[in-house]
């Protein structure tokens, strides 16, 4: 059977596939940092060359930010669009890495072989699972599987600022029957999963300014406004004693989980003690009356991602700082409008800013939550294909993270998105020592071959 020949080809060529992934991982395509702009372009060009070699009509398409990579195959039948992102998160703190984040290597660990590098899991390793499945398919069949569009973004990790205009300007070209996204994970690192809910994200940076320069805290302390004191009060005001967020109107439009979804999640028997235990914690810290799975998948949150001001270097300095800063993000669920919440948040902060203190806001992206429509029979077909590969049935799961494009496929292009990925909870994405299991890479490629066979 030809699927078996494709799977065998994947097994035989895993070393070469790993080498290709390494070449992509060596390019430091950190989208949020302007210093890496040329590297983002280089990663896009590398992908265009790889896609062209595979027989796609591919190009790097300029945007005001980083290029989009778009490739089309000429085949017939159901038109599938595959999405992944070639940009990666910054690597700091660099001193916590065991090796150069952009010098990938396969390492033996007690839990198996891993590919260690920034982007190994999020998302270069994942996007290459799809391209490698296409490569093996083409080798066996002499042609790519059906009609495919490949769409790779270089700004996913920095809020996707160019995405909506690009999708609007190229809607006809990008519209397909179904989108496939490989940027999520397995369930509890072991079970194949199709993600049906993603949270949205609202990012805000606030800067509070008090005196017009840093002051001696002995000379001025007591009499002068300290913006760090104001900032910490604002941050502390964002949650009540039950873990609920206090921004006015924050829960407007938020609904309870549908019973069917609640039942699916209960059947997953999520082990939150292990989930938290793996990162050195023990007690869920969210809303008091919610289950841990709800806390991460279906409830909105507010987190402080960074806070700074004053003297933070070695030793001690009695300074009364002129400024204090915080980066704050909100994970959003269906029913919440990020733009309304941005206004509500800013108004809430403004009410807390006293005399002699000024606040400035800087926005960092706003994307709504997404709920996937899984009525297309392709979902059940893919679930079956995943079950074949992993030896256990695939589950429909939620995801606490955000992938802005998933919602835009629906709202701009009117197409459903199927989210399948092979990341594991301990991949340390966005953290030092990111890795992707060789098993995820290998079985991920095989999974896509099976899914493509099932869908074509
Ligand atoms: N791959 C992640 C999304 C994800 C996170 C999937 C956790 C599964 C588990 C994606 O690359 C990501 O990090 N998204 C950002 C989006 C943001 C920068 C707009 C996120 O969720 O923080
Ligand atoms: Zn990410």
């Amino acid at each position: 059977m030809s699927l078996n020949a494709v799977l065998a080809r994947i097994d035989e060529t895993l070393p070469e596939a790993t080498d290709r992934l390494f070449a992509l991982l060596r390019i430091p395509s950190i989208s949020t940092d302007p210093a890496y702009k040329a590297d983002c372009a280089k990663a896009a060009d590398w992908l265009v060359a790889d896609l062209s070699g595979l027989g796609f009509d591919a190009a790097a398409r300029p945007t005001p930010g980083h290029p989009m990579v778009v490739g089309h195959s000429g085949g017939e039948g159901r038109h599938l669009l595959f999405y992944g992102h070639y940009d990666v998160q910054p690597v700091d703190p660099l001193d916590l890495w065991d090796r150069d984040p952009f010098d990938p290597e396969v390492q033996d660990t007690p839990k198996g072989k891993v590919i260690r590098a920034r982007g190994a899991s999020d998302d270069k390793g994942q996007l290459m699972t799809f391209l490698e499945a296409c490569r093996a398919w083409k080798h066996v069949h002499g042609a790519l599987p059906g009609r495919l569009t490949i769409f790779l973004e270089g700004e996913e990790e920095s809020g996707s600022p160019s995405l909506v205009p690009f999708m609007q300007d190229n809607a006809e070209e990008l519209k397909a029957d179904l989108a496939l996204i490989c940027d999520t994970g397995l369930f509890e690192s072991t079970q194949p999963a199709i993600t049906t809910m993603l949270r949205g994200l609202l990012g805000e940076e606030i800067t509070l300014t008090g005196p017009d320069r840093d002051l001696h805290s002995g000379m001025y302390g007591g009499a002068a406004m300290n913006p760090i004191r104001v900032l910490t009060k604002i941050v502390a005001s964002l949650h009540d004693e039950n873990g609920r967020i206090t921004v006015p109107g924050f829960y407007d439009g938020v609904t309870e989980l549908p019973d069917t979804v609640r039942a699916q999640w209960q059947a997953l028997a999520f082990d939150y003690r292990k989930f938290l235990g793996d990162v050195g914690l023990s007690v869920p810290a969210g809303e008091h009356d919610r289950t841990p799975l709800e806390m991460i998948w279906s409830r909105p949150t507010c987190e402080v991602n960074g806070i700074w001001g004053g003297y933070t270097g070695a030793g001690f300095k009695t300074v009364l700082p002129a400024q204090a800063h915080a980066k704050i993000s909100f994970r959003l669920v269906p029913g919440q409008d990020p733009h309304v919440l941005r206004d509500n948040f800013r108004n809430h902060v403004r009410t807390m800013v006293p005399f002699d203190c000024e606040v400035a806001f800087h926005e960092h992206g706003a994307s709504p939550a997404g709920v996937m429509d899984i009525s297309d029979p392709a979902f059940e077909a893919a679930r079956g294909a995943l079950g074949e590969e992993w030896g256990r049935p695939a589950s429909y799961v939620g995801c606490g993270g955000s992938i802005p494009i998933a919602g835009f496929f629906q709202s701009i292009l009117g197409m459903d998105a199927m989210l399948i990925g092979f990341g594991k909870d301990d991949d340390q994405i966005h953290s030092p020592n990111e890795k992707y299991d060789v098993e995820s890479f290998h079985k991920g490629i095989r999974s896509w071959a099976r899914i493509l066979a099932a869908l074509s």
Side-chain angles (χ1 to χ4, degrees), residues 76-137:
E76 298 280 302
R78 189 189 244 281
H79 184 185
L80 299 172
L81 178 146
F82 175 80
Y83 167 89
H85 63 90
Y86 66 78
D87 64 321
V88 300
Q89 286 277 337
V91 293
D92 39 311
L94 190 55
D95 55 321
L96 295 185
W97 283 81
D98 294 338
R99 57 184 291 107
D100 177 348
F102 297 107
D103 180 18
E105 101 178 328
V106 174
Q107 297 178 345
D108 267 314
T109 76
K111 287 178 171 176
K113 284 192 191 312
V114 305
I115 297 164
R116 183 90 58 195
R118 170 58 89 229
S121 173
D122 187 8
D123 184 40
K124 290 172 175 172
Q126 301 243 72
L127 79 85
M128 287 305 290
T129 58
F130 192 85
L131 300 194
E132 293 301 339
C134 291
R135 196 179 326 268
W137 187 288

Side-chain angles (χ1 to χ4, degrees), residues 221-290:
M225 151 77 52
N226 181 338
I228 293 183
R229 283 172 47 191
V230 178
L231 180 66
T232 50
K233 216 170 177 172
I234 291 171
V235 167
S237 80
L238 293 172
H239 295 85
D240 70 13
E241 64 284 3
N242 295 315
R244 279 176 71 88
I245 293 141
T246 56
V247 173
F250 189 73
Y251 292 96
D252 290 358
V254 175
T255 54
E256 290 299 321
L257 270 186
D259 288 341
T260 47
V261 178
R262 187 179 296 277
Q264 277 170 6
W265 290 6
Q266 266 159 2
L268 290 171
F270 176 60
D271 183 354
Y272 82 83
R273 286 186 186 81
K274 175 168 187 312
F275 177 73
L276 290 178
D278 282 349
V279 293
L281 300 174
S282 55
V283 184
E287 289 172 275
H288 290 183
D289 55 346
R290 298 289 168 175

Side-chain angles (χ1 to χ4, degrees), residues 102-324:
F102 297 107
D103 180 18
E105 101 178 328
V106 174
Q107 297 178 345
D108 267 314
T109 76
K111 287 178 171 176
K113 284 192 191 312
V114 305
I115 297 164
R116 183 90 58 195
R118 170 58 89 229
S121 173
D122 187 8
D123 184 40
K124 290 172 175 172
Q126 301 243 72
L127 79 85
M128 287 305 290
T129 58
F130 192 85
L131 300 194
E132 293 301 339
C134 291
R135 196 179 326 268
W137 187 288
K138 178 151 190 208
H139 180 84
V140 169
H141 292 91
L144 288 163
R147 182 166 174 214
L148 289 179
T149 293
I150 307 286
F151 181 24
L152 307 173
E153 186 192 354
E155 301 183 335
E156 196 272 350
E157 299 290 12
S158 48
S160 300
S162 310
L163 186 61
V164 169
F166 187 82
M167 288 176 83
Q168 284 166 339
D169 292 349
N170 299 279
E172 277 317 303
E173 181 186 347
L174 294 173
K175 210 168 156 32
D177 296 318
L178 180 69
L180 307 174
I181 300 180
C182 190
D183 194 23
T184 50
L186 302 162
F187 177 66
E188 285 198 319
S189 305
T190 52
Q191 186 168 335
I194 300 181
T195 297
T196 65
M197 285 171 76
L198 289 164
R199 292 193 291 188
L201 191 72
L202 168 64
E204 282 283 274
E205 182 168 332
I206 63 179
T207 297
L208 289 166
T209 306
D212 62 8
R213 73 203 76 168
D214 283 3
L215 303 172
H216 188 293
S217 69
M219 273 173 82
Y220 287 93
M225 151 77 52
N226 181 338
I228 293 183
R229 283 172 47 191
V230 178
L231 180 66
T232 50
K233 216 170 177 172
I234 291 171
V235 167
S237 80
L238 293 172
H239 295 85
D240 70 13
E241 64 284 3
N242 295 315
R244 279 176 71 88
I245 293 141
T246 56
V247 173
F250 189 73
Y251 292 96
D252 290 358
V254 175
T255 54
E256 290 299 321
L257 270 186
D259 288 341
T260 47
V261 178
R262 187 179 296 277
Q264 277 170 6
W265 290 6
Q266 266 159 2
L268 290 171
F270 176 60
D271 183 354
Y272 82 83
R273 286 186 186 81
K274 175 168 187 312
F275 177 73
L276 290 178
D278 282 349
V279 293
L281 300 174
S282 55
V283 184
E287 289 172 275
H288 290 183
D289 55 346
R290 298 289 168 175
T291 65
L293 263 196
E294 281 181 285
M295 288 177 191
I296 53 175
W297 285 355
S298 67
R299 295 294 297 171
T301 60
C302 165
E303 294 295 348
V304 184
N305 304 117
I307 182 162
W308 70 103
Y311 183 69
T312 57
F316 200 74
K317 182 179 180 193
T318 51
V319 64
L320 198 157
Q323 288 196 320

Side-chain angles (χ1 to χ4, degrees), residues 337-358:
D337 179 335
H339 301 286
V340 171
L341 291 182
R342 170 168 277 145
D343 288 346
N344 293 1
F345 167 73
R346 291 184 176 188
N347 289 335
H348 170 77
V349 170
R350 285 189 191 104
T351 63
M352 297 191 69
V353 176
F355 276 124
D356 282 348
C357 193
E358 274 177 21

